[in-house]
Structure formats: C-alpha cells, structure tokens
Amino acid sequence: MRLTKFFLPTLKDDPVDAVTVSHKLMIRAGMVKQLTSGVYSTLPLGLIVFRKVENIIRQEMNAIGGNEFLLPALSPHDLWSETGRMEDYGDLMFRIKNRELVLCPTHEEVFTSIAKPSLISYKDFPQVWYQIQSKFRNEERPRAGVLRARQFTMKDAYSLDATWEGLDKSYNDMAQAYRNIFTRCGLDFVIVSAHSGAMGGSASEEFMVPSSAGEDNIVISEDGNYTSNIEVAVSFVEKNDRKNSDLPFEEFHTPNIKSIEELAGFLNITDKTRLAKSRVFVNPSKEEKGEDEYVLVLVRGDDEVNELKLQNLFGINIRPAHNEELAEITGADAGSIGPVNLKVLKNKKVKIIADLLLEDSDELVSGANKNDHHIKNIDIKRDVPGIEFKDLRIVKEGELTSDKKSKLKITKAIEVGHIFKLGTKYPEALGAKFLDADGKENPIIMGSYGIGVERTTASFIEQSNDDKGIIWKGEIAPFQINLICLSGKTDEVKDLAEKYYLELTEQKKIEVLYDDREEVRPGVKFNDSDLIGIPVQLIVGERNLKDGNVEIKIRQTGEKIIVSKDDAVSKAIELIG
Ligand code: ATP
Ligand code: MG
C-alpha cells in the first residue's frame, strides 16, 4: 500500500477526552474515529487489523468444526419476551421506537430459533455455530474508546449438544480454540472463573488481559494455581471466634454515628470484625402483582458485600434498597440498620442472611433499626432466629487461598473473551427440543462463547506500546514492513525504494506500507512510522545510499542496522520474525 493513496489521518497530539493508552493511540494512529459517544467509525488501518483478528478467530472456529453464519442485528420483541431477557437486559438493550424490534446485544435467542425446527433428533448433534457481527448495547458509560462501546464487533459462538457430556466436550474444545486465538493475537492473558451474568447457566470462564485500563478485578494466587474474577473469588479467612460471655443484647445511644468507621471511632476500637455491617436489598417479584422480597445482608465491618454473589443466590435483578425503602422497611436510615429488633413495617417479608465469617459470632455490634442507636452483645444465632449463612464477601489482597497454600493478588484486567455452559435455559424457554435415542423429548443443551474484536485489538495495544506509539507484533500487525523513502535531490533514492516495493510485494508477497510521500519531512515520516508501529522499518535515504547502504530499524527495540542495498530485502524479511 502506498501512503499517497492510503487514508491515514495520524495526529500529533493525544485527543483531549482519551485516558487509556489504547484509546489515545488508536485515534492518533488513524485506526478509528469517534462518531458519537460509544460509537466509532473504523478507518482503513483499523479495519486491516480487525480483519486479521477476525480471520484468526475464523480459522480457529472452523478448526473445531464451526459453521459460520451471519444473523441480522434486528430481531423481534417476542423472541426476547419469551426468554424474559427483554426485562433482564433492561436499559442495556436498544429498542427501535417505530417497530416492535430491538438491536441485538447478543444472539442466543435467534440461534435457538434457528435450531428449533432443524435440530430434532439426537443424530443432529453436536453442532458449533458462530458469526462475526455487530452487537449493540446501550452501555451507560461508554469508555476507553472501543474497549467499551455501544456498537462493537463480536464473534459469538454457540454449541448445541444432546448430552451434558457433549456440552463438556464442546466447551473444552472452545476453551482450547480461545487459547489459540489469544496466543496468536499476541496477548498475555489469564483464564479466570467467572460469574455468568445475564445469561444464566453454570460453568463459566473469562479470558482476561491484565491491564490498568481494565474494569474487572481479577484474583491470581501467588503460586498461579488459583485464578478468578473477584466477582466470584473465595479465600480462606478465620471465622470470628466466640467469647461465650452470654451477655444479653443491649441498645445504646450512638449520636450522629452513620458509618462503620465512625462507630469504630466512637467505641474506640480498631478491629472492626465484631461490628456487623447491614445492607438491605430488594429482590423484585417475578410476577407482575407479586410481592418483592427484602433481604438484609450482614458482613463483618471490615468487609464489603459482593453483589454478584448475591445475584448468584437471588437472581440478577436484586438491587440495593433506596433510602425511602430503607426507612419504610426498617424504620431507620442506612447507618442504623441491623438484624435485631427489626420491626418490618407494612408486612414486608425480610430475609436475613450473613456472611460465613459471622457464623459463630457473639458480642457483635450492629444498628438498632432506630436512628442514632446501636445494639451490642448480639449473639447472631441466638438473637437472629432463622438467619442463614452464605459466602457474601469480597475477597482482599493478601488473603490465603481456600487450600491455604498461597496468597491472593488482585490485578485490574480487560475481559476479552467469555465462555460458558449455558445449559437448557434458552431452548427450554423457546421450546427447542429433540428426540433422544429412546424417543424421549429433551431440550437442546447449549454453550455460549463470545470474543470482542475491537476490544481484543485495543487490549493488545494496552500491552504493546511505548511513548512513541503502538508496537505491532506477529500475526495482527497491519503491515509487516514500513518502507520509508526519504526522497533526495536525484531520482536514485526513489528508484531504489520503488524497486524494493515491487520486489517485496509482488515477488515476496510481504505486506508493505510504502511511505512514498514527497513533500513530507523525514522527521514527520519517522514519527508516523513509530506511531503506527509496523514491526520493521526499511529506510532508503541519500546519506546511506552514498555508501551503497540502507537502514533497517526494528520498531520494538529501536535497534538500527545498516545493510548494503543488495541485502536489504532479505535482511528486512528475516527481521519480520
Ligand atoms: P462486560 O462485562 O465488559 O460488559 P460482558 O460480560 O457483558 O462484558 P459478554 O456478553 O460476555 O460481555 O460479551 C462477550 C465479549 O464481547 C466480551 O468478552 C468483550 O470482549 C466483548 N464486549 C462486550 N461488551 C462490549 C462493549 N461494550 N464494547 C466492546 N466489546 C464488548
Ligand atoms: Mg462477559
């Protein structure tokens, strides 16, 4: 590709609104351009890279027997109402105003509707179906450029099986394909166990790229044997011991004490493990006129409630109670709520659950459900009848792994891929069944597997850059060689660069970006080249050519090599690696 014909609008300065490195560099290198918040146009350089990522994905999907589809972005309301996801997705789903259509955020429903009339006998399985297509999500806060956009390209794949063993095999094949894909894309990644979110289903893992630009927190043990999204991470922490003083609980006055920190200060203690923190959540009823369930959740004062663990117990719609609801349910404000003397106004049902670390606790202090009052000497099992204990806390850095063999480290990471065993949720909701060998009807068993194309690319850039720009490596580099012509007073330089260009592209089939611009200063050419980050720069200029030489620069190391003009092509090819 000749730069004089290529649309490459590079920028010298960082865009003002960009914070993450990949966002800045993708804009500056002319890969993408924002149209409106969370919506990006892909420019020619960006498209070359995205297509390379897509082709790696396509090859690995085909290698495990994948069938490529292309489904519409639009789909009818009915399909989503039948599975309940019209509500589950809520505001995240774009809805068309003048038709009963939505813009699909994912495609389980549509693929299931295709499977339903066609996969009807156990002999029709297994199947792996996929597509590489645009997804639409009305993200509340699009951020970091294409890392979280409102329209993006996803490879979504679905395995369809007749047996649970079949699902295990499909899932494992897909996991291996994902490892191949992200390795070929040059990413440094970890696989963590994950929460299955709005999808429903059981086993689920995410492919995570450690990066400060990430929105997820992942937990990795020091010995590397345990990896998990913090959303579902567990650890070993000693439970609170018992004092066995058998003191009756007692209310006391705590004027203006609203937080655990203030309470600890008031009581003049630093150890917050015996201060029970209470939060109230609302689990909306599934039926239209049904009663909502209220859940009072207790964790130790030094802990935080893990809302994803709550979702796993109660469903994805559980949410923190608003202040008015709190007052209505408990009679008190957020800082004075507790499990004892809970009057429960207006006949609301309140379930009380506590974190496992509190299971044997006595001498606890918690809110009295009366503003400015707390209760001490709570013996949780004695004083809170019917209380249940579950793992509800967020793990912390430095805690022991469950097997006590290692310690936890917490790192920010970007989720680039997600695989999970969905089970029968969508086939059941949509009536997609087949006849097994005994002539019995069963729902199809599904797995669902996603990769974000632009996010994968941006994640690579997060991990491979320097202060000059992007550093492409391996299969996803947009071009392999950047041929730079520093045109001189005579035609000699230009003639040689032209000769190299033809030889590299036509004979050697190398992907070359040829900077053949005439009126551009060398400094500008070098800066552009470093910014767009092609692995090898082949520089033809008057100064070296006087001695019969040209220069080769390796983008990653900055190393410069002077070679004779006759060896330049073979040396440049050798250095591509
Ligand atoms: P997140 O938790 O980041 O919102 P998700 O768990 O909702 O993502 P999935 O439904 O698992 O995402 O989608 C599969 C893949 O699609 C993700 O692993 C990610 O690579 C990509 N992806 C999801 N949402 C976005 C987005 N808003 N912008 C760009 N890529 C996205
Ligand atoms: Mg996900």
Side-chain angles (χ1 to χ4, degrees), residues 137 194-196 206 415 417-418 420 455:
R137 294 185 182 178
H195 169 77
S196 30
E206 287 162 335
E415 177 203 316
H418 195 171
F420 59 93
R455 195 186 277 188

Side-chain angles (χ1 to χ4, degrees), residues 89 92 105-106 135 137 139 145-155 195 199 206-207 215-216 231 414-420 449-456:
Y89 261 104
L92 199 59
T106 176
K135 296 284 181 278
R137 294 185 182 178
E139 300 282 356
V146 298
L147 274 179
R148 182 171 298 285
R150 291 199 169 122
Q151 176 177 347
F152 58 97
T153 314
M154 198 201 286
K155 183 286 301 176
H195 169 77
M199 296 292 198
E206 287 162 335
F207 288 71
E215 288 181 84
D216 281 272
E231 294 174 344
I414 305 167
E415 177 203 316
V416 286
H418 195 171
I419 56 175
F420 59 93
Y449 316 90
I451 294 180
V453 172
E454 296 89 347
R455 195 186 277 188
T456 296

Side-chain angles (χ1 to χ4, degrees), residues 44-264:
L45 184 69
L47 192 62
I48 292 173
V49 181
F50 295 161
R51 289 273 191 266
K52 292 200 167 192
V53 172
E54 288 174 16
N55 279 332
I56 291 172
I57 296 174
R58 188 171 278 120
Q59 285 166 11
E60 296 295 337
M61 288 295 107
N62 293 348
I64 56 166
N67 294 264
E68 186 167 1
F69 286 62
L70 186 58
L71 305 190
L74 289 169
S75 79
H77 276 193
D78 300 357
L79 207 48
W80 296 84
S81 302
E82 268 179 75
T83 58
R85 280 219 286 190
M86 204 65 177
E87 271 157 44
D88 287 355
Y89 261 104
D91 240 10
L92 199 59
M93 178 110 90
F94 279 110
R95 291 149 208 247
I96 306 292
K97 264 196 175 162
N98 56 353
R99 281 271 173 228
E100 296 275 286
L101 294 172
V102 300
L103 281 170
C104 294
T106 176
H107 278 83
E108 280 77 11
E109 277 81 352
V110 185
F111 271 109
T112 307
S113 79
I114 294 172
K116 182 175 167 174
S118 340
L119 303 181
I120 50 177
S121 154
Y122 69 98
K123 292 179 194 148
D124 298 331
F125 298 93
Q127 291 278 314
V128 177
W129 293 358
Y130 78 97
Q131 63 173 339
I132 299 172
Q133 185 257 14
S134 294
K135 296 284 181 278
F136 298 83
R137 294 185 182 178
N138 188 18
E139 300 282 356
E140 205 179 327
R141 271 178 293 277
R143 66 176 282 281
V146 298
L147 274 179
R148 182 171 298 285
R150 291 199 169 122
Q151 176 177 347
F152 58 97
T153 314
M154 198 201 286
K155 183 286 301 176
D156 48 323
Y158 306 86
S159 62
L160 303 145
D161 277 281
T163 62
W164 293 96
E165 299 74 50
L167 172 63
D168 289 345
K169 176 166 189 325
S170 300
Y171 182 91
N172 292 339
D173 286 353
M174 196 60 82
Q176 185 54 47
Y178 271 46
R179 281 187 216 108
N180 298 349
I181 290 166
F182 294 121
T183 305
R184 287 178 63 185
C185 286
L187 288 173
D188 173 15
F189 63 95
V190 277
I191 305 170
V192 302
S193 20
H195 169 77
S196 30
M199 296 292 198
S202 52
S204 155
E205 284 160 299
E206 287 162 335
F207 288 71
M208 289 284 187
V209 173
S211 159
S212 59
E215 288 181 84
D216 281 272
N217 283 297
I218 59 168
V219 175
I220 308 175
S221 63
E222 279 171 0
D223 64 8
N225 290 337
Y226 178 70
T227 55
S228 174
N229 194 310
I230 199 158
E231 294 174 344
V232 291
V234 292
S235 63
F236 175 80
V237 177
E238 292 284 356
K239 285 182 180 178
N240 277 5
D241 59 346
R242 279 188 74 78
K243 307 254 182 200
N244 283 322
S245 51
D246 225 13
L247 295 166
F249 68 77
E250 192 186 326
E251 188 176 295
F252 63 108
H253 190 210
T254 47
N256 286 322
I257 301 302
K258 308 255 185 264
S259 66
I260 290 285
E261 280 63 39
E262 289 167 357
L263 183 61

Side-chain angles (χ1 to χ4, degrees), residues 298-419:
L298 286 165
V299 292
R300 287 194 335 194
D302 57 339
D303 275 334
E304 295 299 334
V305 176
N306 184 329
E307 297 192 15
L308 273 303
K309 288 184 180 173
L310 266 189
Q311 282 188 18
N312 283 340
L313 292 170
F314 293 94
I316 62 154
N317 293 320
I318 194 160
R319 60 163 176 85
H322 309 309
N323 283 343
E324 309 83 70
E325 288 170 318
L326 275 184
E328 207 174 275
I329 301 159
T330 69
D333 297 335
S336 306
I337 291 167
V340 178
N341 283 351
L342 189 62
K343 288 171 288 294
V344 186
L345 307 177
K346 295 203 173 164
N347 296 328
K348 304 268 191 215
K349 280 184 288 186
V350 181
K351 184 181 178 71
I352 305 180
I353 58 171
D355 183 68
L356 285 170
L357 297 188
L358 288 170
E359 193 163 13
D360 302 323
S361 292
D362 56 3
E363 290 199 14
L364 286 174
V365 181
S366 192
N369 299 307
K370 188 164 145 193
N371 284 349
D372 293 337
H373 288 80
H374 280 78
I375 293 178
K376 62 182 176 186
N377 299 330
I378 299 172
D379 181 332
I380 201 158
K381 278 189 184 150
R382 179 192 71 188
D383 299 329
V384 192
I387 190 166
E388 285 176 30
F389 298 92
K390 305 274 181 202
D391 172 31
L392 297 169
R393 63 190 291 277
I394 300 178
V395 301
K396 296 193 201 112
E397 173 109 11
E399 287 173 0
L400 288 176
T401 49
S402 299
D403 64 8
K404 301 188 214 170
K405 288 188 179 148
S406 186
K407 279 189 181 162
L408 302 184
K409 284 185 302 175
I410 299 177
T411 316
K412 285 228 166 301
I414 305 167
E415 177 203 316
V416 286
H418 195 171
I419 56 175

Side-chain angles (χ1 to χ4, degrees), residues 361-505:
S361 292
D362 56 3
E363 290 199 14
L364 286 174
V365 181
S366 192
N369 299 307
K370 188 164 145 193
N371 284 349
D372 293 337
H373 288 80
H374 280 78
I375 293 178
K376 62 182 176 186
N377 299 330
I378 299 172
D379 181 332
I380 201 158
K381 278 189 184 150
R382 179 192 71 188
D383 299 329
V384 192
I387 190 166
E388 285 176 30
F389 298 92
K390 305 274 181 202
D391 172 31
L392 297 169
R393 63 190 291 277
I394 300 178
V395 301
K396 296 193 201 112
E397 173 109 11
E399 287 173 0
L400 288 176
T401 49
S402 299
D403 64 8
K404 301 188 214 170
K405 288 188 179 148
S406 186
K407 279 189 181 162
L408 302 184
K409 284 185 302 175
I410 299 177
T411 316
K412 285 228 166 301
I414 305 167
E415 177 203 316
V416 286
H418 195 171
I419 56 175
F420 59 93
K421 297 183 184 175
L422 265 182
T424 56
K425 177 175 168 169
Y426 299 100
E428 236 163 293
L430 298 172
K433 297 186 182 134
F434 67 95
L435 290 180
D436 66 17
D438 304 324
K440 236 181 88 227
E441 237 185 16
N442 288 308
I444 296 173
I445 301 169
M446 258 178 119
S448 162
Y449 316 90
I451 294 180
V453 172
E454 296 89 347
R455 195 186 277 188
T456 296
T457 309
S459 301
F460 174 87
I461 296 173
E462 287 293 336
Q463 288 190 330
S464 189
N465 66 79
D466 62 15
D467 55 357
K468 299 188 180 71
I470 304 170
I471 303 173
W472 294 110
K473 283 174 231 158
E475 283 193 65
I476 67 169
F479 297 94
Q480 294 158 300
I481 294 178
N482 196 175
L483 172 62
I484 302 170
C485 173
L486 308 176
S487 36
K489 295 186 193 77
T490 64
D491 281 345
E492 202 192 346
V493 172
K494 197 174 159 211
D495 290 347
L496 184 64
E498 289 288 330
K499 182 174 151 270
Y500 285 161
Y501 182 59
L502 292 182
E503 190 178 341
L504 283 165
T505 53

